[in-house]
mmCIF file of all heavy atoms in Angstrom:
data_model
loop_
_atom_site.group_PDB
_atom_site.id
_atom_site.type_symbol
_atom_site.label_atom_id
_atom_site.label_comp_id
_atom_site.label_asym_id
_atom_site.label_seq_id
_atom_site.Cartn_x
_atom_site.Cartn_y
_atom_site.Cartn_z
ATOM 1 N N ASP R 34 -82.194 1.787 17.366
ATOM 2 C CA ASP R 34 -83.069 2.362 16.354
ATOM 3 C C ASP R 34 -82.479 2.353 14.945
ATOM 4 O O ASP R 34 -83.120 2.632 14.019
ATOM 5 C CB ASP R 34 -83.462 3.781 16.678
ATOM 6 C CG ASP R 34 -84.172 3.922 18.020
ATOM 7 O OD1 ASP R 34 -84.968 2.988 18.331
ATOM 8 O OD2 ASP R 34 -83.970 4.909 18.712
ATOM 9 N N LEU R 35 -81.140 2.045 14.881
ATOM 10 C CA LEU R 35 -80.485 2.107 13.575
ATOM 11 C C LEU R 35 -80.976 1.011 12.673
ATOM 12 O O LEU R 35 -81.035 -0.170 13.023
ATOM 13 C CB LEU R 35 -78.945 2.059 13.703
ATOM 14 C CG LEU R 35 -78.323 3.157 14.516
ATOM 15 C CD1 LEU R 35 -76.850 2.874 14.695
ATOM 16 C CD2 LEU R 35 -78.527 4.479 13.842
ATOM 17 N N ARG R 36 -81.281 1.384 11.465
ATOM 18 C CA ARG R 36 -81.748 0.442 10.411
ATOM 19 C C ARG R 36 -81.076 0.766 9.129
ATOM 20 O O ARG R 36 -80.828 1.943 8.878
ATOM 21 C CB ARG R 36 -83.275 0.510 10.242
ATOM 22 C CG ARG R 36 -84.051 0.207 11.497
ATOM 23 C CD ARG R 36 -84.082 -1.310 11.742
ATOM 24 N NE ARG R 36 -85.001 -1.650 12.791
ATOM 25 C CZ ARG R 36 -84.602 -1.890 14.043
ATOM 26 N NH1 ARG R 36 -83.324 -1.885 14.362
ATOM 27 N NH2 ARG R 36 -85.454 -2.228 14.975
ATOM 28 N N PRO R 37 -80.832 -0.126 8.210
ATOM 29 C CA PRO R 37 -80.979 -1.564 8.406
ATOM 30 C C PRO R 37 -79.818 -2.111 9.261
ATOM 31 O O PRO R 37 -78.825 -1.437 9.438
ATOM 32 C CB PRO R 37 -80.934 -2.093 7.044
ATOM 33 C CG PRO R 37 -80.107 -1.131 6.295
ATOM 34 C CD PRO R 37 -80.386 0.201 6.888
ATOM 35 N N ARG R 38 -79.922 -3.294 9.707
ATOM 36 C CA ARG R 38 -78.870 -3.983 10.391
ATOM 37 C C ARG R 38 -77.831 -4.388 9.342
ATOM 38 O O ARG R 38 -78.188 -4.580 8.179
ATOM 39 C CB ARG R 38 -79.343 -5.227 11.138
ATOM 40 C CG ARG R 38 -80.361 -4.862 12.199
ATOM 41 C CD ARG R 38 -79.710 -4.333 13.410
ATOM 42 N NE ARG R 38 -80.667 -4.169 14.533
ATOM 43 C CZ ARG R 38 -80.573 -3.255 15.358
ATOM 44 N NH1 ARG R 38 -79.552 -2.429 15.363
ATOM 45 N NH2 ARG R 38 -81.420 -3.180 16.361
ATOM 46 N N PRO R 39 -76.579 -4.624 9.558
ATOM 47 C CA PRO R 39 -75.891 -4.645 10.941
ATOM 48 C C PRO R 39 -75.547 -3.265 11.341
ATOM 49 O O PRO R 39 -75.615 -2.303 10.561
ATOM 50 C CB PRO R 39 -74.676 -5.466 10.614
ATOM 51 C CG PRO R 39 -74.303 -5.138 9.220
ATOM 52 C CD PRO R 39 -75.652 -4.949 8.528
ATOM 53 N N PHE R 40 -75.110 -3.175 12.564
ATOM 54 C CA PHE R 40 -74.668 -1.891 13.156
ATOM 55 C C PHE R 40 -73.336 -1.550 12.537
ATOM 56 O O PHE R 40 -72.326 -2.173 12.787
ATOM 57 C CB PHE R 40 -74.472 -2.181 14.693
ATOM 58 C CG PHE R 40 -74.094 -0.992 15.474
ATOM 59 C CD1 PHE R 40 -74.851 0.131 15.440
ATOM 60 C CD2 PHE R 40 -72.973 -1.028 16.279
ATOM 61 C CE1 PHE R 40 -74.508 1.261 16.263
ATOM 62 C CE2 PHE R 40 -72.617 0.067 17.076
ATOM 63 C CZ PHE R 40 -73.387 1.186 17.070
ATOM 64 N N SER R 41 -73.368 -0.602 11.614
ATOM 65 C CA SER R 41 -72.156 -0.284 10.823
ATOM 66 C C SER R 41 -71.923 1.232 10.776
ATOM 67 O O SER R 41 -72.780 2.042 11.128
ATOM 68 C CB SER R 41 -72.306 -0.774 9.358
ATOM 69 O OG SER R 41 -73.304 -0.099 8.754
ATOM 70 N N VAL R 42 -70.736 1.624 10.389
ATOM 71 C CA VAL R 42 -70.388 3.032 10.279
ATOM 72 C C VAL R 42 -71.375 3.660 9.321
ATOM 73 O O VAL R 42 -71.866 4.782 9.583
ATOM 74 C CB VAL R 42 -68.915 3.132 9.774
ATOM 75 C CG1 VAL R 42 -68.587 4.625 9.479
ATOM 76 C CG2 VAL R 42 -67.923 2.583 10.772
ATOM 77 N N LYS R 43 -71.643 3.079 8.162
ATOM 78 C CA LYS R 43 -72.534 3.639 7.163
ATOM 79 C C LYS R 43 -73.901 3.889 7.799
ATOM 80 O O LYS R 43 -74.474 4.961 7.547
ATOM 81 C CB LYS R 43 -72.637 2.728 5.987
ATOM 82 C CG LYS R 43 -73.503 3.257 4.885
ATOM 83 C CD LYS R 43 -73.621 2.291 3.734
ATOM 84 C CE LYS R 43 -72.614 2.654 2.712
ATOM 85 N NZ LYS R 43 -72.717 1.826 1.471
ATOM 86 N N ASN R 44 -74.434 2.967 8.536
ATOM 87 C CA ASN R 44 -75.789 3.152 9.139
ATOM 88 C C ASN R 44 -75.783 4.236 10.227
ATOM 89 O O ASN R 44 -76.762 4.936 10.328
ATOM 90 C CB ASN R 44 -76.297 1.816 9.711
ATOM 91 C CG ASN R 44 -76.596 0.867 8.580
ATOM 92 O OD1 ASN R 44 -76.721 1.203 7.451
ATOM 93 N ND2 ASN R 44 -76.724 -0.434 8.976
ATOM 94 N N VAL R 45 -74.734 4.319 11.002
ATOM 95 C CA VAL R 45 -74.589 5.429 11.993
ATOM 96 C C VAL R 45 -74.599 6.708 11.274
ATOM 97 O O VAL R 45 -75.319 7.683 11.645
ATOM 98 C CB VAL R 45 -73.318 5.243 12.847
ATOM 99 C CG1 VAL R 45 -73.119 6.482 13.745
ATOM 100 C CG2 VAL R 45 -73.443 4.008 13.747
ATOM 101 N N GLU R 46 -73.774 6.940 10.240
ATOM 102 C CA GLU R 46 -73.702 8.204 9.526
ATOM 103 C C GLU R 46 -74.994 8.515 8.791
ATOM 104 O O GLU R 46 -75.363 9.667 8.686
ATOM 105 C CB GLU R 46 -72.487 8.142 8.596
ATOM 106 C CG GLU R 46 -71.173 8.181 9.352
ATOM 107 C CD GLU R 46 -69.951 7.991 8.461
ATOM 108 O OE1 GLU R 46 -70.073 7.662 7.275
ATOM 109 O OE2 GLU R 46 -68.846 8.190 8.977
ATOM 110 N N ARG R 47 -75.662 7.533 8.253
ATOM 111 C CA ARG R 47 -76.926 7.682 7.568
ATOM 112 C C ARG R 47 -77.958 8.280 8.502
ATOM 113 O O ARG R 47 -78.803 9.084 8.083
ATOM 114 C CB ARG R 47 -77.423 6.361 6.961
ATOM 115 C CG ARG R 47 -78.663 6.520 6.099
ATOM 116 C CD ARG R 47 -79.135 5.241 5.499
ATOM 117 N NE ARG R 47 -78.158 4.693 4.590
ATOM 118 C CZ ARG R 47 -77.641 3.446 4.667
ATOM 119 N NH1 ARG R 47 -78.104 2.612 5.623
ATOM 120 N NH2 ARG R 47 -76.793 3.008 3.817
ATOM 121 N N ALA R 48 -77.885 7.884 9.781
ATOM 122 C CA ALA R 48 -78.840 8.434 10.809
ATOM 123 C C ALA R 48 -78.429 9.790 11.348
ATOM 124 O O ALA R 48 -79.100 10.378 12.201
ATOM 125 C CB ALA R 48 -78.926 7.451 11.960
ATOM 126 N N GLY R 49 -77.307 10.347 10.825
ATOM 127 C CA GLY R 49 -76.826 11.630 11.280
ATOM 128 C C GLY R 49 -75.860 11.586 12.390
ATOM 129 O O GLY R 49 -75.560 12.571 13.054
ATOM 130 N N GLY R 50 -75.396 10.364 12.804
ATOM 131 C CA GLY R 50 -74.492 10.140 13.896
ATOM 132 C C GLY R 50 -73.047 10.137 13.456
ATOM 133 O O GLY R 50 -72.746 10.234 12.252
ATOM 134 N N ARG R 51 -72.137 10.060 14.411
ATOM 135 C CA ARG R 51 -70.722 9.904 14.163
ATOM 136 C C ARG R 51 -70.122 8.894 15.058
ATOM 137 O O ARG R 51 -70.489 8.762 16.242
ATOM 138 C CB ARG R 51 -70.070 11.290 14.456
ATOM 139 C CG ARG R 51 -70.413 12.463 13.663
ATOM 140 C CD ARG R 51 -69.975 12.406 12.232
ATOM 141 N NE ARG R 51 -68.520 12.356 12.081
ATOM 142 C CZ ARG R 51 -67.716 13.439 12.000
ATOM 143 N NH1 ARG R 51 -68.244 14.582 11.941
ATOM 144 N NH2 ARG R 51 -66.403 13.273 11.862
ATOM 145 N N VAL R 52 -69.144 8.170 14.512
ATOM 146 C CA VAL R 52 -68.429 7.196 15.296
ATOM 147 C C VAL R 52 -67.327 7.979 16.031
ATOM 148 O O VAL R 52 -66.691 8.854 15.454
ATOM 149 C CB VAL R 52 -67.783 6.116 14.407
ATOM 150 C CG1 VAL R 52 -66.843 5.200 15.259
ATOM 151 C CG2 VAL R 52 -68.831 5.322 13.731
ATOM 152 N N ILE R 53 -67.090 7.748 17.338
ATOM 153 C CA ILE R 53 -66.057 8.392 18.078
ATOM 154 C C ILE R 53 -64.780 7.601 17.945
ATOM 155 O O ILE R 53 -64.785 6.418 18.402
ATOM 156 C CB ILE R 53 -66.492 8.610 19.552
ATOM 157 C CG1 ILE R 53 -67.782 9.481 19.606
ATOM 158 C CG2 ILE R 53 -65.348 9.242 20.366
ATOM 159 C CD1 ILE R 53 -68.333 9.603 20.977
ATOM 160 N N GLY R 54 -63.785 8.157 17.386
ATOM 161 C CA GLY R 54 -62.538 7.455 17.138
ATOM 162 C C GLY R 54 -62.526 7.019 15.649
ATOM 163 O O GLY R 54 -63.400 7.351 14.887
ATOM 164 N N LYS R 55 -61.535 6.243 15.256
ATOM 165 C CA LYS R 55 -61.432 5.753 13.904
ATOM 166 C C LYS R 55 -61.848 4.329 13.835
ATOM 167 O O LYS R 55 -61.206 3.433 14.479
ATOM 168 C CB LYS R 55 -59.994 5.979 13.421
ATOM 169 C CG LYS R 55 -59.847 5.518 11.967
ATOM 170 C CD LYS R 55 -58.406 5.703 11.479
ATOM 171 C CE LYS R 55 -58.375 5.237 10.069
ATOM 172 N NZ LYS R 55 -57.011 4.954 9.586
ATOM 173 N N ALA R 56 -62.863 3.956 13.022
ATOM 174 C CA ALA R 56 -63.342 2.629 12.942
ATOM 175 C C ALA R 56 -62.215 1.743 12.291
ATOM 176 O O ALA R 56 -61.593 2.167 11.286
ATOM 177 C CB ALA R 56 -64.600 2.525 12.081
ATOM 178 N N MET R 57 -61.981 0.533 12.775
ATOM 179 C CA MET R 57 -60.937 -0.352 12.323
ATOM 180 C C MET R 57 -61.374 -1.216 11.167
ATOM 181 O O MET R 57 -60.598 -1.867 10.617
ATOM 182 C CB MET R 57 -60.348 -1.157 13.474
ATOM 183 C CG MET R 57 -59.864 -0.292 14.641
ATOM 184 S SD MET R 57 -58.625 0.928 14.191
ATOM 185 C CE MET R 57 -57.209 -0.102 14.136
ATOM 186 N N ASN R 58 -62.692 -1.288 10.956
ATOM 187 C CA ASN R 58 -63.203 -2.067 9.799
ATOM 188 C C ASN R 58 -64.544 -1.493 9.398
ATOM 189 O O ASN R 58 -64.948 -0.484 9.901
ATOM 190 C CB ASN R 58 -63.321 -3.592 10.215
ATOM 191 C CG ASN R 58 -64.254 -3.846 11.359
ATOM 192 O OD1 ASN R 58 -65.070 -2.980 11.694
ATOM 193 N ND2 ASN R 58 -64.116 -4.960 11.982
ATOM 194 N N PHE R 59 -65.226 -2.152 8.474
ATOM 195 C CA PHE R 59 -66.460 -1.574 7.885
ATOM 196 C C PHE R 59 -67.575 -1.492 8.987
ATOM 197 O O PHE R 59 -68.455 -0.621 8.835
ATOM 198 C CB PHE R 59 -66.907 -2.351 6.685
ATOM 199 C CG PHE R 59 -67.492 -3.738 7.056
ATOM 200 C CD1 PHE R 59 -68.897 -3.854 7.243
ATOM 201 C CD2 PHE R 59 -66.699 -4.822 7.194
ATOM 202 C CE1 PHE R 59 -69.379 -5.120 7.595
ATOM 203 C CE2 PHE R 59 -67.211 -6.049 7.565
ATOM 204 C CZ PHE R 59 -68.524 -6.195 7.757
ATOM 205 N N ALA R 60 -67.618 -2.388 9.911
ATOM 206 C CA ALA R 60 -68.587 -2.394 10.911
ATOM 207 C C ALA R 60 -68.084 -1.639 12.167
ATOM 208 O O ALA R 60 -66.929 -1.454 12.326
ATOM 209 C CB ALA R 60 -69.010 -3.844 11.283
ATOM 210 N N VAL R 61 -69.044 -1.177 12.974
ATOM 211 C CA VAL R 61 -68.655 -0.448 14.176
ATOM 212 C C VAL R 61 -68.374 -1.513 15.248
ATOM 213 O O VAL R 61 -69.144 -1.627 16.239
ATOM 214 C CB VAL R 61 -69.730 0.548 14.584
ATOM 215 C CG1 VAL R 61 -69.266 1.331 15.755
ATOM 216 C CG2 VAL R 61 -70.049 1.466 13.447
ATOM 217 N N LEU R 62 -67.319 -2.227 15.096
ATOM 218 C CA LEU R 62 -66.995 -3.271 16.054
ATOM 219 C C LEU R 62 -65.816 -2.895 16.884
ATOM 220 O O LEU R 62 -65.746 -3.119 18.101
ATOM 221 C CB LEU R 62 -66.750 -4.633 15.400
ATOM 222 C CG LEU R 62 -67.904 -5.203 14.645
ATOM 223 C CD1 LEU R 62 -67.481 -6.511 13.959
ATOM 224 C CD2 LEU R 62 -68.991 -5.493 15.566
ATOM 225 N N TYR R 63 -64.857 -2.249 16.307
ATOM 226 C CA TYR R 63 -63.619 -1.815 17.039
ATOM 227 C C TYR R 63 -63.231 -0.437 16.558
ATOM 228 O O TYR R 63 -63.399 -0.094 15.393
ATOM 229 C CB TYR R 63 -62.468 -2.775 16.703
ATOM 230 C CG TYR R 63 -62.795 -4.216 17.043
ATOM 231 C CD1 TYR R 63 -63.110 -5.087 16.027
ATOM 232 C CD2 TYR R 63 -62.799 -4.667 18.321
ATOM 233 C CE1 TYR R 63 -63.438 -6.408 16.283
ATOM 234 C CE2 TYR R 63 -63.109 -5.984 18.603
ATOM 235 C CZ TYR R 63 -63.436 -6.876 17.556
ATOM 236 O OH TYR R 63 -63.754 -8.119 17.814
#
Side-chain angles (χ1 to χ4, degrees):
D34 299 323
L35 297 178
R36 299 283 188 261
R38 299 281 188 211
F40 184 56
S41 67
V42 173
K43 183 183 264 185
N44 291 344
V45 169
E46 291 175 348
R47 186 178 297 127
R51 297 288 301 268
V52 175
I53 299 173
K55 182 180 179 198
M57 304 304 278
N58 60 19
F59 72 94
V61 184
L62 297 178
Y63 305 101

